[in-house]
Amino acid sequence: MALPQLIPSHSSSLLTHHQPSINPNAVNPSFLCPKLRPFSRSSSFSQSCRFHRLSSLRCSASYFPEKHHTNPLKSDDVVELPLFPLPLVLFPGAILPLQIFEFRYRIMMHTLLHTDLRFGVVYSDAVSGTADVGCVGEIVKHERLVDDRFFLICKGQERFRITNVVRTKPYLVAEVNWLEDRPSGDEDLEGLANEVESYMKDVIRLSNRLNGKPEKEAQDLRRNLFPTPFSFFVGSTFEGAPREQQALLELEDTAARLKREKETLRNTLNYLSAASAVKDVFPSS
C-alpha cells in the first residue's frame, strides 16, 4: 500500500538535520550507495509488495507480526553485521525485494547464504551520507541465477545503531547495538494508533477521489497490530520521503513516532482537502 505525496510534519527538520552519519572520511564513498536494480520477477511475495524506484516500499500490514524474532536480542549486545547502504529505509516487519548483481554484494550473499541470512540495511544519500541507524534484513527467499546474480526477498527485523566500522572491503562490516523503543509512560498508545489509522483512511479516501478512483472506505489497516509494529508499518508507507522515514526509524519512543506520523498525515489530509475543494469548484482543473 502506498500513500500519496506526503506533507512532512513541522518537526521533520528536528531529526533529519541532526541525523547521525558514518564519518565520510572513514569510509570509501564508493561503498555508500551500491548499484542495484529493481526486483521485477513475479513471485507470491512481489505480488503483494513491490520494490519501486529504489526509494519506496509498498507493504501490507499483514507482513508486520507482533514479534519479529523468537529470541529477543538485548539492546546492550554488540555484534558484527555486514551492511548494505541503500537509498531507502527498511522498517521492522517490512518486505524488501532486491536484485543483487554487483560483485562485492554477490560475495556478501554467498557468505550470508551459508551463515545466518541477515545483513544490515542503512539509508544513504549524497546529501546526508550514510545513517548510523538501520534495520536488519533477513533473507526469507532467494534465487541464484546462472550468471551469479541473486533475486532476494528480505524481511525487516531488529533496528540497530552502528558503533564502529570494522572494515570496508570487500563490503562494509560494522559493530552494532540493537535498538528498542523505550516505555511511553502514561501515553495512550492504543488511542494514538487508532487516530493514525483514521487519518490514513481519510488520506487514502481523498487521494482516490482526486485520482478518479472509487471512494471506498479503507479496510482495517491495523489488522490487530500492537501500536509499535503498527507505527513501523505506517512509516513504511511514507513513499518518496526517505529522510522522514529515517527520522521515524531512529525514534526510540512509540508515542513520539505515532504523534509524528499523525502530524504528517494531518498535514497531508489538509492539503488533499484543499485540492479536493478546488477540484469541486473547477472540475476541469
Side-chain angles (χ1 to χ4, degrees):
M1 184 192 71
L3 295 180
Q5 182 177 359
L6 295 163
I7 311 300
S9 63
H10 296 302
S11 60
S12 297
S13 60
L14 297 181
L15 268 77
T16 52
H17 139 188
H18 294 294
Q19 179 179 325
S21 60
I22 297 174
N23 183 348
N25 296 321
V27 181
N28 188 327
S30 67
F31 282 84
L32 298 184
C33 192
K35 300 174 183 177
L36 65 150
R37 295 170 183 161
F39 185 96
S40 59
R41 294 174 63 89
S42 60
S43 69
S44 58
F45 290 96
S46 59
Q47 288 171 359
S48 299
C49 305
R50 294 187 295 124
F51 186 54
H52 181 62
R53 297 194 200 96
L54 299 181
S55 62
S56 60
L57 200 59
R58 297 187 175 184
C59 299
S60 164
S62 62
Y63 289 104
F64 286 74
E66 301 304 347
K67 295 182 180 179
H68 305 308
H69 45 76
T70 55
N71 298 310
L73 299 169
K74 296 179 180 179
S75 58
D76 56 353
D77 287 344
V78 177
V79 300
E80 286 190 8
L81 193 66
L83 300 181
F84 201 162
L86 292 170
L88 56 81
V89 178
L90 177 64
F91 283 86
I95 299 296
L96 175 63
L98 289 173
Q99 179 185 170
I100 306 296
F101 65 93
E102 195 172 350
F103 179 68
R104 56 188 166 175
Y105 293 107
R106 285 189 277 133
I107 295 176
M108 178 195 288
M109 291 305 116
H110 282 287
T111 301
L112 293 177
L113 293 175
H114 288 88
T115 54
D116 66 355
L117 303 177
R118 293 154 60 89
F119 61 98
V121 176
V122 285
Y123 173 66
S124 179
D125 67 22
V127 176
S128 56
T130 300
D132 71 350
V133 171
C135 180
V136 170
E138 182 175 15
I139 301 170
V140 295
K141 187 173 182 179
H142 74 278
E143 180 181 357
R144 180 182 173 186
L145 304 183
V146 291
D147 59 0
D148 209 31
R149 287 180 296 131
F150 288 89
F151 289 118
L152 306 177
I153 299 292
C154 306
K155 185 172 184 178
Q157 301 289 349
E158 302 85 2
R159 291 176 299 157
F160 61 84
R161 184 183 302 277
I162 297 170
T163 59
N164 180 49
V165 174
V166 176
R167 65 175 183 270
T168 61
K169 294 181 179 180
Y171 48 81
L172 277 172
V173 176
E175 292 181 342
V176 305
N177 284 328
W178 306 113
L179 295 183
E180 294 181 355
D181 276 7
R182 299 184 295 267
S184 297
D186 297 329
E187 294 282 0
D188 180 9
L189 295 182
E190 282 294 328
L192 277 171
N194 289 336
E195 287 183 75
V196 169
E197 181 185 28
S198 178
Y199 275 115
M200 285 186 73
K201 289 180 178 180
D202 288 340
V203 166
I204 293 169
R205 176 179 54 80
L206 270 182
S207 177
N208 286 340
R209 181 184 182 191
L210 287 169
N211 289 312
K213 299 178 181 178
E215 292 186 55
K216 294 182 179 179
E217 180 70 22
Q219 311 224 341
D220 180 15
L221 298 176
R222 285 190 64 179
R223 300 192 181 182
N224 298 318
L225 290 177
F226 288 140
T228 297
F230 179 65
S231 72
F232 291 138
F233 163 66
V234 174
S236 74
T237 67
F238 286 8
E239 291 193 357
R243 293 187 190 177
E244 175 67 11
Q245 289 182 309
Q246 181 64 30
L248 292 170
L249 185 75
E250 292 179 10
L251 286 173
E252 297 178 56
D253 185 310
T254 300
R257 189 179 303 110
L258 288 168
K259 287 178 180 178
R260 182 163 177 153
E261 291 166 344
K262 175 183 170 182
E263 185 177 352
T264 295
L265 289 166
R266 181 168 53 199
N267 291 342
T268 302
L269 183 61
N270 290 338
Y271 170 81
L272 293 174
S273 297
S276 179
V278 170
K279 185 174 182 179
D280 289 340
V281 177
F282 305 101
S284 61
S285 61

